[in-house]
Coordinates of all heavy atoms in Angstrom, one line a residue:
M1 N 192.7 -44.3 177.4 CA 193.5 -43.5 176.5 C 194.5 -44.4 175.7 O 195.0 -45.3 176.2 CB 194.3 -42.5 177.3 CG 194.1 -41.1 176.8 SD 195.1 -39.8 177.6 CE 195.3 -40.3 179.2
I2 N 194.6 -44.0 174.5 CA 195.5 -44.8 173.6 C 196.7 -43.9 173.2 O 196.6 -42.8 172.8 CB 194.8 -45.2 172.3 CG1 193.6 -46.2 172.6 CG2 195.7 -45.8 171.3 CD1 192.7 -46.5 171.5
P3 N 197.9 -44.4 173.5 CA 199.1 -43.6 173.2 C 199.3 -43.4 171.7 O 199.0 -44.4 170.9 CB 200.3 -44.4 173.7 CG 199.7 -45.8 173.9 CD 198.3 -45.7 174.1
A4 N 199.6 -42.3 171.3 CA 199.8 -41.9 169.8 C 201.1 -42.5 169.3 O 202.1 -41.8 169.3 CB 199.7 -40.4 169.6
I5 N 201.1 -43.8 169.0 CA 202.3 -44.4 168.4 C 202.1 -44.7 167.0 O 201.1 -45.4 166.6 CB 202.7 -45.7 169.2 CG1 202.9 -45.4 170.7 CG2 203.9 -46.3 168.6 CD1 203.3 -46.6 171.4
D6 N 203.0 -44.2 166.1 CA 203.0 -44.7 164.8 C 203.9 -45.9 164.7 O 205.1 -45.7 164.5 CB 203.4 -43.5 163.8 CG 203.2 -43.9 162.4 OD1 203.2 -45.1 162.1 OD2 203.2 -42.9 161.6
F7 N 203.4 -47.1 164.9 CA 204.2 -48.3 164.9 C 205.0 -48.5 163.6 O 206.1 -48.9 163.6 CB 203.4 -49.5 165.2 CG 203.0 -49.7 166.7 CD1 201.8 -49.3 167.2 CD2 203.9 -50.2 167.6 CE1 201.5 -49.4 168.5 CE2 203.6 -50.4 168.9 CZ 202.4 -50.0 169.4
A8 N 204.3 -48.2 162.5 CA 204.9 -48.4 161.2 C 206.1 -47.5 161.0 O 207.2 -47.9 160.6 CB 203.9 -48.1 160.1
A9 N 205.9 -46.2 161.4 CA 207.0 -45.3 161.2 C 208.2 -45.6 162.2 O 209.4 -45.3 161.8 CB 206.6 -43.8 161.5
A10 N 207.9 -46.2 163.3 CA 208.9 -46.5 164.3 C 209.5 -47.9 164.0 O 210.3 -48.4 164.8 CB 208.4 -46.4 165.7
G11 N 209.2 -48.5 163.0 CA 209.7 -49.8 162.6 C 209.0 -51.0 163.3 O 209.6 -52.1 163.3
G12 N 207.8 -50.7 163.8 CA 207.0 -51.8 164.4 C 207.6 -52.2 165.7 O 208.4 -51.6 166.3
V13 N 207.0 -53.3 166.3 CA 207.4 -53.8 167.6 C 208.6 -54.7 167.3 O 208.5 -55.8 166.7 CB 206.3 -54.6 168.3 CG1 206.8 -55.2 169.6 CG2 205.1 -53.7 168.6
D14 N 209.8 -54.3 167.8 CA 211.0 -55.1 167.5 C 211.1 -56.2 168.6 O 211.0 -56.0 169.8 CB 212.2 -54.1 167.7 CG 213.5 -54.9 167.5 OD1 213.8 -55.2 166.3 OD2 214.2 -55.2 168.5
L15 N 211.1 -57.4 168.0 CA 211.0 -58.6 168.9 C 212.2 -58.7 169.9 O 212.0 -59.1 171.1 CB 210.9 -59.9 168.1 CG 209.6 -60.1 167.4 CD1 209.5 -61.5 166.7 CD2 208.4 -59.9 168.3
D16 N 213.4 -58.3 169.5 CA 214.5 -58.3 170.4 C 214.3 -57.4 171.6 O 214.6 -57.7 172.7 CB 215.8 -58.0 169.7 CG 216.2 -59.2 168.7 OD1 215.9 -60.3 169.1 OD2 216.7 -58.9 167.7
R17 N 213.8 -56.2 171.2 CA 213.6 -55.2 172.3 C 212.4 -55.7 173.2 O 212.5 -55.5 174.4 CB 213.2 -53.8 171.7 CG 214.4 -53.1 171.0 CD 213.9 -51.8 170.5 NE 215.0 -51.0 170.0 CZ 215.5 -51.1 168.7 NH1 215.0 -52.0 167.9 NH2 216.6 -50.3 168.3
L18 N 211.4 -56.3 172.6 CA 210.3 -56.8 173.4 C 210.8 -57.8 174.3 O 210.4 -57.8 175.5 CB 209.2 -57.3 172.4 CG 207.9 -57.8 173.1 CD1 207.3 -56.7 173.9 CD2 207.0 -58.4 172.0
Q19 N 211.6 -58.7 173.9 CA 212.2 -59.8 174.7 C 212.9 -59.2 175.9 O 212.7 -59.6 177.1 CB 213.1 -60.7 173.9 CG 213.5 -61.9 174.7 CD 214.1 -63.0 173.8 OE1 214.4 -62.7 172.6 NE2 214.4 -64.1 174.4
R20 N 213.7 -58.2 175.6 CA 214.5 -57.5 176.7 C 213.6 -56.8 177.7 O 213.8 -56.7 178.9 CB 215.5 -56.6 176.1 CG 216.7 -57.3 175.5 CD 217.9 -56.4 175.3 NE 217.7 -55.3 174.3 CZ 217.8 -55.4 173.0 NH1 218.2 -56.5 172.5 NH2 217.6 -54.3 172.2
S21 N 212.5 -56.2 177.1 CA 211.6 -55.5 178.0 C 210.9 -56.3 179.0 O 210.5 -55.8 180.1 CB 210.5 -54.8 177.1 OG 209.4 -55.7 176.8
L22 N 210.8 -57.6 178.8 CA 210.2 -58.5 179.7 C 211.0 -58.7 181.0 O 210.4 -59.1 182.0 CB 209.9 -59.9 179.1 CG 209.0 -59.9 177.9 CD1 208.9 -61.3 177.3 CD2 207.6 -59.4 178.2
T23 N 212.2 -58.4 181.0 CA 213.0 -58.5 182.2 C 213.1 -57.2 183.0 O 213.7 -57.2 184.1 CB 214.5 -58.9 181.8 OG1 215.1 -57.8 181.1 CG2 214.5 -60.2 180.9
L24 N 212.4 -56.2 182.5 CA 212.5 -54.9 183.2 C 211.4 -54.8 184.3 O 210.3 -55.4 184.2 CB 212.3 -53.8 182.2 CG 213.4 -53.7 181.2 CD1 213.1 -52.6 180.1 CD2 214.8 -53.4 181.8
D25 N 211.6 -53.9 185.2 CA 210.6 -53.6 186.2 C 210.0 -52.3 185.8 O 210.7 -51.3 185.5 CB 211.2 -53.5 187.6 CG 211.8 -54.8 188.1 OD1 211.2 -55.8 187.9 OD2 213.0 -54.8 188.5
G26 N 208.6 -52.2 185.9 CA 208.0 -50.9 185.6 C 207.1 -50.5 186.7 O 206.2 -51.2 187.1
E27 N 207.4 -49.3 187.3 CA 206.6 -48.8 188.4 C 205.7 -47.7 187.9 O 206.3 -46.7 187.3 CB 207.5 -48.3 189.5 CG 206.7 -47.9 190.7 CD 207.6 -47.0 191.7 OE1 208.8 -47.0 191.5 OE2 207.0 -46.4 192.5
R28 N 204.4 -47.8 188.0 CA 203.5 -46.8 187.5 C 203.5 -45.7 188.4 O 203.2 -45.8 189.6 CB 202.1 -47.4 187.3 CG 201.2 -46.5 186.5 CD 199.9 -47.3 186.3 NE 198.9 -46.6 185.4 CZ 198.1 -45.7 185.8 NH1 198.0 -45.3 187.1 NH2 197.3 -45.1 185.0
V29 N 203.9 -44.5 188.0 CA 204.0 -43.3 188.9 C 202.9 -42.3 188.5 O 202.8 -41.3 189.2 CB 205.4 -42.7 188.8 CG1 206.4 -43.6 189.5 CG2 205.8 -42.3 187.4
G30 N 202.2 -42.5 187.4 CA 201.1 -41.6 187.1 C 200.4 -42.1 185.9 O 200.7 -43.3 185.5
A31 N 199.5 -41.4 185.3 CA 198.7 -41.9 184.1 C 199.7 -42.0 182.9 O 200.2 -41.0 182.4 CB 197.6 -40.9 183.8
G32 N 200.0 -43.3 182.6 CA 200.9 -43.5 181.5 C 202.3 -43.2 181.8 O 203.1 -43.2 180.9
Q33 N 202.6 -42.9 183.0 CA 204.0 -42.6 183.4 C 204.6 -43.7 184.2 O 204.0 -44.2 185.2 CB 204.0 -41.3 184.2 CG 203.5 -40.1 183.4 CD 203.4 -38.8 184.2 OE1 203.0 -38.8 185.3 NE2 203.9 -37.8 183.6
Y34 N 205.8 -44.1 183.8 CA 206.5 -45.3 184.4 C 207.9 -45.0 184.7 O 208.6 -44.3 183.9 CB 206.4 -46.5 183.5 CG 205.0 -47.1 183.4 CD1 204.1 -46.6 182.6 CD2 204.7 -48.2 184.3 CE1 202.8 -47.2 182.6 CE2 203.4 -48.8 184.2 CZ 202.5 -48.2 183.4 OH 201.2 -48.8 183.4
R35 N 208.4 -45.5 185.8 CA 209.8 -45.5 186.1 C 210.2 -47.0 185.8 O 209.7 -47.9 186.4 CB 210.0 -45.2 187.6 CG 211.5 -45.1 187.9 CD 211.7 -44.4 189.3 NE 211.1 -45.2 190.3 CZ 211.8 -46.0 191.1 NH1 213.1 -46.1 191.0 NH2 211.2 -46.7 192.1
V36 N 211.1 -47.1 184.8 CA 211.5 -48.4 184.3 C 212.9 -48.7 184.8 O 213.8 -48.0 184.5 CB 211.4 -48.6 182.8 CG1 211.8 -49.9 182.4 CG2 210.0 -48.2 182.3
S37 N 213.1 -49.8 185.6 CA 214.4 -50.1 186.1 C 214.6 -51.6 185.8 O 213.8 -52.3 185.2 CB 214.5 -49.9 187.6 OG 213.4 -50.6 188.3
G38 N 215.8 -52.0 186.2 CA 216.2 -53.4 185.9 C 217.2 -53.5 184.7 O 217.8 -54.6 184.5
G39 N 217.3 -52.4 184.0 CA 218.3 -52.4 182.9 C 219.6 -51.8 183.4 O 219.8 -51.6 184.6
E40 N 220.4 -51.4 182.5 CA 221.7 -50.7 182.9 C 221.4 -49.4 183.6 O 222.1 -49.1 184.6 CB 222.5 -50.5 181.6 CG 224.0 -50.4 181.9 CD 224.8 -50.4 180.5 OE1 224.4 -51.2 179.6 OE2 225.7 -49.6 180.4
H41 N 220.5 -48.7 183.1 CA 220.1 -47.4 183.7 C 218.6 -47.4 184.0 O 217.8 -48.1 183.3 CB 220.5 -46.2 182.8 CG 221.9 -46.2 182.5 ND1 222.9 -45.7 183.4 CD2 222.6 -46.5 181.4 CE1 224.1 -45.8 182.8 NE2 223.9 -46.3 181.6
E42 N 218.2 -46.5 184.9 CA 216.8 -46.3 185.1 C 216.3 -45.2 184.1 O 216.9 -44.3 183.8 CB 216.6 -45.8 186.5 CG 215.2 -45.6 187.0 CD 215.2 -45.2 188.5 OE1 215.3 -46.1 189.3 OE2 215.0 -44.1 188.8
H43 N 215.1 -45.5 183.6 CA 214.5 -44.5 182.6 C 213.1 -44.2 182.9 O 212.4 -45.0 183.6 CB 214.6 -45.1 181.2 CG 216.0 -45.1 180.7 ND1 216.7 -44.0 180.3 CD2 216.9 -46.2 180.5 CE1 217.9 -44.4 179.9 NE2 218.0 -45.7 180.0
W44 N 212.7 -43.0 182.5 CA 211.3 -42.5 182.7 C 210.6 -42.5 181.4 O 211.1 -42.0 180.4 CB 211.4 -41.1 183.3 CG 212.0 -41.1 184.6 CD1 213.3 -41.1 184.9 CD2 211.3 -41.2 185.9 NE1 213.5 -41.1 186.3 CE2 212.3 -41.2 186.9 CE3 209.9 -41.3 186.2 CZ2 211.9 -41.3 188.3 CZ3 209.6 -41.4 187.6 CH2 210.6 -41.4 188.6
V45 N 209.4 -43.1 181.4 CA 208.6 -43.2 180.2 C 207.3 -42.4 180.4 O 206.7 -42.5 181.5 CB 208.2 -44.7 179.9 CG1 207.2 -44.8 178.7 CG2 209.5 -45.4 179.5
D46 N 206.9 -41.7 179.4 CA 205.6 -40.9 179.5 C 204.9 -41.2 178.2 O 205.3 -40.8 177.1 CB 205.9 -39.4 179.6 CG 204.7 -38.6 179.9 OD1 203.6 -39.1 179.7 OD2 204.9 -37.5 180.5
L47 N 203.8 -41.9 178.3 CA 203.0 -42.4 177.2 C 202.0 -41.4 176.6 O 201.7 -41.5 175.4 CB 202.3 -43.7 177.5 CG 203.1 -45.0 177.8 CD1 202.2 -46.1 178.2 CD2 204.0 -45.3 176.6
Y48 N 201.5 -40.5 177.5 CA 200.3 -39.8 177.1 C 200.5 -38.3 177.0 O 199.7 -37.6 176.3 CB 199.2 -40.1 178.0 CG 198.8 -41.6 178.0 CD1 198.8 -42.3 179.1 CD2 198.5 -42.2 176.8 CE1 198.5 -43.7 179.1 CE2 198.1 -43.5 176.8 CZ 198.1 -44.3 177.9 OH 197.8 -45.6 177.9
T49 N 201.4 -37.6 177.7 CA 201.2 -36.2 177.9 C 201.7 -35.4 176.6 O 201.4 -34.2 176.5 CB 202.0 -35.7 179.1 OG1 203.4 -36.0 179.0 CG2 201.4 -36.2 180.4
T50 N 202.4 -36.0 175.7 CA 202.8 -35.4 174.5 C 202.2 -36.1 173.3 O 201.5 -37.1 173.5 CB 204.3 -35.3 174.3 OG1 204.8 -36.7 174.4 CG2 205.0 -34.5 175.4
S51 N 202.4 -35.6 172.1 CA 201.8 -36.2 171.0 C 202.4 -37.6 170.7 O 201.8 -38.4 170.1 CB 201.9 -35.3 169.8 OG 203.2 -35.0 169.5
H52 N 203.6 -37.8 171.2 CA 204.2 -39.1 171.0 C 204.7 -39.6 172.4 O 205.2 -38.8 173.2 CB 205.4 -39.0 170.1 CG 205.0 -38.6 168.7 ND1 204.3 -39.4 167.9 CD2 205.2 -37.4 168.0 CE1 204.1 -38.8 166.7 NE2 204.6 -37.6 166.8
P53 N 204.7 -40.9 172.6 CA 205.3 -41.4 173.8 C 206.8 -41.1 173.9 O 207.4 -41.0 172.9 CB 205.1 -43.0 173.7 CG 204.1 -43.1 172.6 CD 204.2 -42.0 171.7
R54 N 207.2 -40.9 175.1 CA 208.6 -40.5 175.2 C 209.4 -41.4 176.2 O 208.8 -41.8 177.2 CB 208.7 -39.0 175.7 CG 208.4 -38.0 174.7 CD 208.6 -36.6 175.3 NE 207.9 -36.5 176.6 CZ 207.9 -35.4 177.3 NH1 208.7 -34.4 176.9 NH2 207.3 -35.4 178.4
C55 N 210.6 -41.5 176.0 CA 211.5 -42.2 176.9 C 212.8 -41.4 176.9 O 213.2 -40.8 175.8 CB 211.8 -43.6 176.6 SG 212.9 -44.5 177.7
D56 N 213.5 -41.3 178.0 CA 214.8 -40.5 178.0 C 216.0 -41.4 177.7 O 217.1 -40.9 178.0 CB 214.9 -39.8 179.4 CG 215.0 -40.7 180.5 OD1 214.9 -42.0 180.3 OD2 215.1 -40.2 181.7
C57 N 215.8 -42.5 177.1 CA 217.0 -43.3 176.7 C 217.5 -43.0 175.3 O 216.7 -42.5 174.5 CB 216.7 -44.8 176.8 SG 215.7 -45.5 175.5
G58 N 218.7 -43.4 175.0 CA 219.3 -43.1 173.7 C 218.7 -43.8 172.6 O 218.5 -43.3 171.5
D59 N 218.2 -45.0 172.8 CA 217.6 -45.8 171.8 C 216.4 -45.1 171.2 O 216.2 -45.1 170.0 CB 217.2 -47.2 172.4 CG 216.8 -48.2 171.3 OD1 217.4 -48.1 170.2 OD2 215.9 -49.0 171.5
H60 N 215.6 -44.5 172.1 CA 214.4 -43.8 171.7 C 214.8 -42.4 171.1 O 214.3 -42.0 170.1 CB 213.4 -43.7 172.8 CG 212.2 -43.0 172.5 ND1 211.3 -43.5 171.6 CD2 211.7 -41.8 172.8 CE1 210.3 -42.6 171.4 NE2 210.5 -41.5 172.2
L61 N 215.6 -41.7 171.9 CA 215.9 -40.3 171.5 C 216.7 -40.2 170.2 O 216.4 -39.4 169.3 CB 216.7 -39.6 172.6 CG 215.9 -39.3 173.9 CD1 216.8 -38.7 174.9 CD2 214.7 -38.4 173.6
W62 N 217.7 -41.1 170.0 CA 218.5 -40.9 168.9 C 218.1 -41.8 167.7 O 218.2 -41.4 166.6 CB 220.0 -41.2 169.3 CG 220.4 -40.4 170.4 CD1 220.7 -40.8 171.7 CD2 220.5 -38.9 170.4 NE1 221.0 -39.7 172.5 CE2 220.9 -38.5 171.8 CE3 220.3 -37.9 169.5 CZ2 221.0 -37.2 172.1 CZ3 220.4 -36.6 169.9 CH2 220.8 -36.3 171.2
R63 N 217.7 -43.0 168.0 CA 217.3 -43.9 166.9 C 215.8 -43.8 166.6 O 215.4 -44.4 165.6 CB 217.6 -45.4 167.2 CG 219.1 -45.6 167.4 CD 219.5 -47.1 167.4 NE 220.8 -47.3 168.0 CZ 221.0 -47.7 169.2 NH1 219.9 -48.0 170.0 NH2 222.2 -47.8 169.7
E64 N 215.0 -43.1 167.5 CA 213.6 -42.9 167.2 C 212.9 -44.3 167.1 O 211.9 -44.4 166.4 CB 213.3 -42.1 166.0 CG 213.9 -40.7 166.2 CD 213.5 -39.7 165.1 OE1 213.0 -40.2 164.1 OE2 213.8 -38.5 165.3
R65 N 213.3 -45.2 167.9 CA 212.7 -46.5 167.9 C 211.7 -46.6 169.1 O 211.9 -45.8 170.1 CB 213.7 -47.7 168.1 CG 214.7 -47.8 167.0 CD 214.1 -48.3 165.7 NE 213.8 -47.2 164.8 CZ 213.4 -47.4 163.6 NH1 213.3 -48.6 163.0 NH2 213.2 -46.4 162.8
I66 N 210.8 -47.6 169.1 CA 210.0 -47.9 170.3 C 210.9 -48.7 171.1 O 211.1 -49.9 170.9 CB 208.7 -48.6 169.9 CG1 207.9 -47.8 168.9 CG2 207.9 -49.0 171.1 CD1 206.7 -48.6 168.4
C67 N 211.5 -48.1 172.2 CA 212.5 -48.8 173.0 C 211.9 -49.8 174.0 O 210.7 -49.8 174.1 CB 213.3 -47.7 173.7 SG 212.4 -46.9 174.9
K68 N 212.8 -50.6 174.6 CA 212.3 -51.6 175.5 C 211.5 -51.0 176.7 O 210.7 -51.6 177.3 CB 213.4 -52.5 176.0 CG 214.5 -51.8 176.7 CD 215.7 -52.7 177.0 CE 216.8 -52.0 177.7 NZ 218.0 -52.9 178.0
H69 N 211.9 -49.8 177.1 CA 211.2 -49.1 178.2 C 209.8 -48.8 177.9 O 208.9 -49.0 178.7 CB 212.0 -47.9 178.6 CG 213.5 -48.2 178.7 ND1 214.4 -47.7 177.8 CD2 214.2 -48.8 179.6 CE1 215.6 -48.1 178.1 NE2 215.5 -48.8 179.2
I70 N 209.6 -48.2 176.7 CA 208.3 -47.9 176.2 C 207.4 -49.2 176.1 O 206.3 -49.2 176.4 CB 208.3 -47.1 174.9 CG1 208.8 -45.7 175.1 CG2 206.9 -47.0 174.2 CD1 209.0 -44.8 173.9
L71 N 208.1 -50.2 175.5 CA 207.4 -51.5 175.4 C 207.0 -52.0 176.8 O 205.9 -52.6 176.9 CB 208.3 -52.5 174.7 CG 208.5 -52.3 173.2 CD1 209.5 -53.2 172.6 CD2 207.2 -52.4 172.4
A72 N 207.9 -51.9 177.8 CA 207.6 -52.4 179.1 C 206.3 -51.6 179.7 O 205.5 -52.2 180.3 CB 208.8 -52.2 180.0
A73 N 206.3 -50.3 179.4 CA 205.2 -49.5 179.8 C 203.9 -49.9 179.1 O 202.8 -50.0 179.7 CB 205.5 -48.0 179.6
L74 N 204.0 -50.1 177.8 CA 202.8 -50.5 177.0 C 202.3 -51.8 177.4 O 201.0 -52.0 177.5 CB 203.2 -50.5 175.5 CG 203.4 -49.1 174.8 CD1 204.0 -49.3 173.4 CD2 202.1 -48.3 174.8
L75 N 203.1 -52.7 177.8 CA 202.7 -54.0 178.3 C 201.9 -53.9 179.5 O 200.8 -54.5 179.7 CB 203.9 -55.0 178.5 CG 204.5 -55.7 177.3 CD1 205.7 -56.4 177.8 CD2 203.5 -56.7 176.8
R76 N 202.3 -53.0 180.4 CA 201.6 -52.8 181.7 C 200.3 -52.0 181.5 O 199.5 -52.0 182.4 CB 202.6 -52.1 182.7 CG 203.5 -53.1 183.3 CD 204.8 -52.4 183.8 NE 205.7 -53.5 184.4 CZ 206.5 -54.2 183.6 NH1 206.6 -54.0 182.3 NH2 207.3 -55.1 184.2
E77 N 200.2 -51.3 180.4 CA 199.0 -50.7 180.1 C 198.0 -51.6 179.3 O 196.9 -51.2 178.9 CB 199.2 -49.4 179.2 CG 200.0 -48.3 179.9 CD 199.1 -47.5 180.8 OE1 198.2 -46.9 180.4 OE2 199.4 -47.5 182.1
G78 N 198.5 -52.8 179.0 CA 197.7 -53.8 178.2 C 197.5 -53.4 176.8 O 196.5 -53.7 176.2
N79 N 198.5 -52.7 176.2 CA 198.4 -52.3 174.8 C 198.3 -53.5 173.9 O 199.1 -54.4 173.9 CB 199.6 -51.5 174.4 CG 199.5 -51.0 173.0 OD1 199.9 -51.7 172.0 ND2 199.0 -49.8 172.8
E80 N 197.2 -53.6 173.1 CA 196.9 -54.8 172.3 C 197.9 -55.1 171.3 O 198.3 -56.3 171.2 CB 195.5 -54.6 171.6 CG 195.0 -55.9 171.1 CD 193.6 -55.7 170.6 OE1 192.9 -54.7 170.9 OE2 193.1 -56.6 169.9
R81 N 198.4 -54.1 170.6 CA 199.5 -54.3 169.6 C 200.7 -55.0 170.2 O 201.3 -55.9 169.6 CB 199.8 -53.0 169.0 CG 200.9 -53.0 168.0 CD 200.3 -53.3 166.6 NE 201.4 -53.4 165.6 CZ 201.5 -52.7 164.6 NH1 200.7 -51.7 164.3 NH2 202.5 -52.9 163.7
V82 N 201.1 -54.5 171.4 CA 202.3 -55.1 172.0 C 202.1 -56.5 172.6 O 202.9 -57.4 172.5 CB 202.9 -54.1 173.1 CG1 204.1 -54.7 173.7 CG2 203.2 -52.7 172.4
V83 N 200.9 -56.6 173.2 CA 200.5 -57.9 173.8 C 200.5 -59.0 172.6 O 201.0 -60.1 172.8 CB 199.2 -57.9 174.5 CG1 198.7 -59.3 174.9 CG2 199.3 -57.0 175.8
R84 N 199.9 -58.6 171.5 CA 199.9 -59.5 170.3 C 201.3 -59.9 169.9 O 201.5 -61.0 169.4 CB 199.1 -58.9 169.2 CG 197.6 -59.0 169.3 CD 197.0 -59.3 168.0 NE 195.6 -59.5 168.2 CZ 194.7 -58.6 167.7 NH1 195.1 -57.6 167.1 NH2 193.4 -58.8 167.9
A85 N 202.2 -59.0 169.9 CA 203.5 -59.2 169.5 C 204.3 -60.2 170.3 O 205.3 -60.7 169.9 CB 204.3 -57.9 169.4
L86 N 203.7 -60.6 171.5 CA 204.3 -61.6 172.3 C 204.2 -63.0 171.6 O 205.0 -63.8 171.8 CB 203.6 -61.7 173.7 CG 203.9 -60.5 174.6 CD1 203.0 -60.6 175.8 CD2 205.4 -60.4 175.0
A87 N 203.1 -63.2 170.8 CA 202.9 -64.5 170.2 C 204.1 -64.9 169.4 O 204.6 -66.0 169.6 CB 201.6 -64.5 169.5
P88 N 204.5 -64.1 168.4 CA 205.7 -64.6 167.6 C 206.9 -64.7 168.5 O 207.8 -65.6 168.2 CB 205.9 -63.5 166.6 CG 205.0 -62.3 167.0 CD 203.9 -62.9 167.9
L89 N 207.0 -64.0 169.6 CA 208.2 -64.1 170.4 C 208.2 -65.5 171.1 O 209.2 -66.2 171.2 CB 208.1 -63.0 171.5 CG 209.3 -62.7 172.3 CD1 210.4 -62.2 171.4 CD2 209.0 -61.7 173.4
F90 N 207.0 -66.0 171.5 CA 206.9 -67.3 172.1 C 207.2 -68.4 171.1 O 207.8 -69.4 171.4 CB 205.6 -67.5 172.8 CG 205.4 -66.7 174.0 CD1 204.2 -66.1 174.3 CD2 206.4 -66.5 174.9 CE1 204.0 -65.3 175.5 CE2 206.3 -65.7 176.0 CZ 205.0 -65.1 176.3
S91 N 206.6 -68.2 169.8 CA 206.9 -69.3 168.9 C 208.4 -69.3 168.5 O 209.0 -70.3 168.3 CB 206.0 -69.1 167.6 OG 205.5 -67.9 167.5
R92 N 209.0 -68.1 168.5 CA 210.4 -68.1 168.2 C 211.2 -68.8 169.3 O 212.1 -69.6 169.0 CB 210.9 -66.6 168.1 CG 212.2 -66.4 167.5 CD 212.6 -64.9 167.3 NE 212.8 -64.2 168.6 CZ 213.4 -63.0 168.7 NH1 213.7 -62.4 167.5 NH2 213.6 -62.5 169.8
A93 N 210.8 -68.6 170.6 CA 211.4 -69.3 171.7 C 211.3 -70.8 171.6 O 212.2 -71.6 171.8 CB 210.9 -68.8 173.0
A94 N 210.1 -71.2 171.1 CA 209.8 -72.7 171.0 C 210.7 -73.3 169.9 O 211.3 -74.3 170.0 CB 208.3 -72.9 170.6
I95 N 210.9 -72.5 168.8 CA 211.7 -73.0 167.7 C 213.2 -73.1 168.1 O 213.9 -74.1 167.9 CB 211.6 -72.0 166.5 CG1 210.2 -72.2 165.8 CG2 212.7 -72.3 165.4 CD1 209.8 -71.1 164.9
A96 N 213.6 -72.1 168.9 CA 215.0 -72.1 169.4 C 215.2 -73.3 170.3 O 216.3 -73.8 170.4 CB 215.2 -70.8 170.2
R97 N 214.2 -73.7 171.1 CA 214.4 -74.9 172.0 C 214.6 -76.2 171.2 O 215.3 -77.1 171.5 CB 213.2 -75.0 172.9 CG 213.4 -74.3 174.2 CD 212.4 -74.9 175.3 NE 211.0 -74.9 174.8 CZ 210.2 -73.9 174.9 NH1 210.6 -72.7 175.4 NH2 209.0 -74.0 174.5
V98 N 213.8 -76.3 170.0 CA 213.8 -77.5 169.2 C 215.1 -77.6 168.5 O 215.7 -78.7 168.4 CB 212.6 -77.5 168.2 CG1 212.7 -78.6 167.3 CG2 211.3 -77.6 169.1
T99 N 215.6 -76.5 167.9 CA 216.8 -76.6 167.0 C 218.1 -76.5 167.9 O 218.1 -76.1 169.0 CB 216.8 -75.4 166.0 OG1 216.6 -74.2 166.7 CG2 215.7 -75.6 165.0
Ligands
ZN101 ZN1 213.8 -46.1 176.5

C-alpha cells in the first residue's frame, strides 16, 4: 500500500525534519500505524486508514507539514521518496564536516 501523500502540497521532504526523524523510535503497532517516541512527546502516526497520513502533533495538524513522526514511519515502511531524500542529507553532512 502506498500512503496518499501530496509531497508537493506539503512542501516536500524537509531535510531538517528528516534529520530529526532519524533519532526517533518507531514501533509498528498495525498496518501503517506507528507509535513514535524519543522526541519531547510520544505521537501516533496513521499512514493508511484515511485519505491522508495523520499524526497528532502540532507540526502536522497546524502547519500541515510532513512532520518528523510521519517521516519516521515512512522510513520504516521503506517509502522510496523519503529514502531517496536521505542522499542530500548525507551530502549536506559531508559538506558540514569539511567546512
Ligand atoms: Zn508528527
Side-chain angles (χ1 to χ4, degrees):
M1 232 183 331
I2 295 172
I5 299 183
D6 188 339
F7 280 98
V13 176
D14 180 75
L15 290 186
D16 291 324
R17 287 181 175 86
L18 183 59
Q19 189 167 6
R20 288 197 294 273
S21 82
L22 297 177
T23 66
L24 298 172
D25 299 313
E27 184 196 347
R28 193 173 187 274
V29 292
Q33 296 175 317
Y34 286 83
R35 184 165 65 100
V36 181
S37 55
E40 206 172 316
H41 302 285
E42 186 176 279
H43 290 287
W44 295 84
V45 172
D46 193 336
L47 294 175
Y48 299 123
T49 58
T50 55
S51 58
H52 298 289
R54 284 184 311 178
C55 177
D56 59 0
C57 78
D59 191 34
H60 179 66
L61 291 177
W62 306 115
R63 297 196 198 97
E64 297 186 350
R65 299 287 99 171
I66 302 172
C67 65
K68 61 184 177 183
H69 314 103
I70 290 178
L71 289 172
L74 288 171
L75 279 173
R76 280 157 182 82
E77 295 281 301
N79 182 274
E80 194 173 346
R81 177 88 185 241
V82 179
V83 170
R84 278 224 178 107
L86 290 171
L89 196 63
F90 289 142
S91 19
R92 194 171 72 164
I95 291 165
R97 268 201 308 275
V98 171
T99 52

